[in-house]
């Protein structure tokens, strides 16, 4: 199972919006609405930000939103803040009843 | 409050064995699928192994199949990862991750991680 494809890095200025893409295949992203997104700050454990493509866990800012079209999912962060600077990973459930992660995207807030 | 506390990591020589544990609390462990996810130095997240709530079904990444064994003790809310024939490339922080429910559609809580270093 190959990793989902994410851009290595994205950047934006405070207050702007950015979108991170996550491209899979018909065996993962394209088969289920079970894409999740994780935020990871240096030296910390990952934190769930979005589950089931569009849902936010309790306590996650409404500035974070998710979507999906075909085999590509996206995470959008609006009103960028300095604290959003982190690595972001997408993950999808697969037709093999396992999961697959994206390679990760480093978000820099300029 | 959900808590996942990993233990058992350390420095081990290639070919050696190590057993990781993850003590869980704050949720109904026996009704939740669990997983081990690792992150090599400077690398991304890689799922290692998944176990169903009952322990009846397990899955392994190709990179560890035949060398690692995942198991759980539902009576003591503990997850395990037995690692054998360790390789240098197994060096990573190993996270215990809790699925949102019966199925591993997403992981809503993660442990703090346990560092495994494989080196001679």
């Amino acid at each position: 199972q190959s990793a989902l494809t994410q851009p290595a890095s994205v950047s934006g200025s405070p207050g702007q919006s950015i979108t991170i893409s996550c491209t899979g295949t018909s065996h993962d992203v394209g088969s289920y609405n079970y894409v999740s997104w994780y935020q990871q700050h240096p030296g910390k454990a990952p934190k769930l930000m979005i589950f089931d493509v569009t849902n936010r866990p309790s306590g996650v800012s409404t500035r974070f939103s998710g979507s999906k079209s075909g085999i590509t999912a996206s995470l959008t962060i609006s009103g960028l803040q300095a604290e959003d600077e982190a690595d972001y990973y997408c993950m999808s459930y697969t037709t093999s009843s396992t999961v697959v992660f994206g390679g990760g995207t480093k978000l820099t807030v300029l | 409050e959900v808590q996942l506390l990993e233990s058992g990591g350390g420095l081990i020589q290639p070919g050696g064995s190590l057993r990781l544990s993850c003590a869980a609390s704050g949720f109904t462990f026996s009704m939740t699928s669990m997983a081990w996810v690792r992150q090599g130095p400077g690398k991304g997240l890689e799922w290692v192994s998944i176990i169903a709530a009952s322990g009846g079904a397990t899955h392994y990444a190709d990179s560890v199949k035949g060398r690692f064994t995942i198991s759980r003790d539902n009576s003591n809310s503990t997850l395990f990862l037995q690692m054998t024939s360790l390789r240098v490339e197994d060096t990573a922080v190993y996270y215990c991750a809790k699925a949102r429910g019966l199925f591993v559609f997403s992981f809503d809580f993660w442990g703090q991680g346990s560092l495994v270093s494989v080196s001679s």
Side-chain angles (χ1 to χ4, degrees):
Chain A
Q1 182 89 50
S2 298
L4 306 177
T5 300
Q6 297 181 232
S9 63
V10 297
S11 62
S13 299
Q16 288 186 331
S17 295
I18 63 94
T19 296
I20 299 172
S21 62
C22 170
T23 301
T25 69
S26 59
H27 300 293
D28 38 66
V29 177
S31 282
Y32 305 103
N33 287 324
Y34 295 133
V35 175
S36 50
W37 290 89
Y38 303 86
Q39 176 192 66
Q40 186 180 36
H41 287 108
K44 300 293 187 182
K47 175 186 177 183
L48 178 65
M49 304 302 285
I50 296 287
F51 66 93
D52 297 353
V53 178
T54 62
N55 296 289
R56 277 185 310 277
S58 174
V60 172
S61 171
T62 57
R63 298 185 298 105
F64 291 83
S65 62
S67 63
K68 192 191 90 165
S69 178
I71 62 170
T72 299
S74 299
L75 172 71
T76 297
I77 308 174
S78 59
L80 267 181
Q81 299 180 0
E83 68 207 47
D84 300 331
E85 185 162 295
D87 293 328
Y88 291 84
Y89 295 90
C90 61
M91 185 187 89
S92 177
Y93 188 67
T94 78
T95 54
S96 301
S97 300
T98 60
V99 299
V100 58
F101 285 97
T105 298
K106 182 178 180 58
L107 169 61
T108 300
V109 180
L110 302 170
Chain B
E1 179 192 6
V2 172
Q3 289 195 359
L4 299 170
L5 188 60
E6 298 105 334
S7 61
L11 176 63
I12 189 78
Q13 290 188 335
S17 298
L18 214 53
R19 189 195 201 201
L20 301 182
S21 299
C22 172
S25 61
F27 63 99
T28 306
F29 184 76
S30 61
M31 296 191 67
T32 307
S33 290
M34 299 291 295
W36 290 98
V37 177
R38 69 184 181 184
Q39 186 169 35
K43 296 187 177 180
L45 300 174
E46 177 192 17
W47 81 276
V48 173
S49 185
I50 291 167
I51 187 166
S54 66
T58 57
H59 300 277
Y60 299 92
D62 288 344
S63 57
V64 306
K65 200 171 293 184
R67 300 187 299 121
F68 290 11
T69 302
I70 191 171
S71 61
R72 61 191 297 160
D73 179 353
N74 282 350
S75 62
N76 287 303
S77 300
T78 305
L79 177 71
F80 303 100
L81 185 68
Q82 179 69 49
M83 303 182 291
T84 64
S85 302
L86 281 161
R87 305 168 180 168
V88 171
E89 54 265 35
D90 293 320
T91 294
V93 173
Y94 284 73
Y95 293 103
C96 165
K98 169 191 172 297
R100 284 189 65 249
L102 277 177
F103 302 100
V104 287
F105 299 146
S106 59
F107 299 119
D108 56 356
F109 288 94
W110 299 62
Q112 84 288 353
S114 182
L115 178 61
V116 173
S117 294
V118 185
S119 174
S120 54

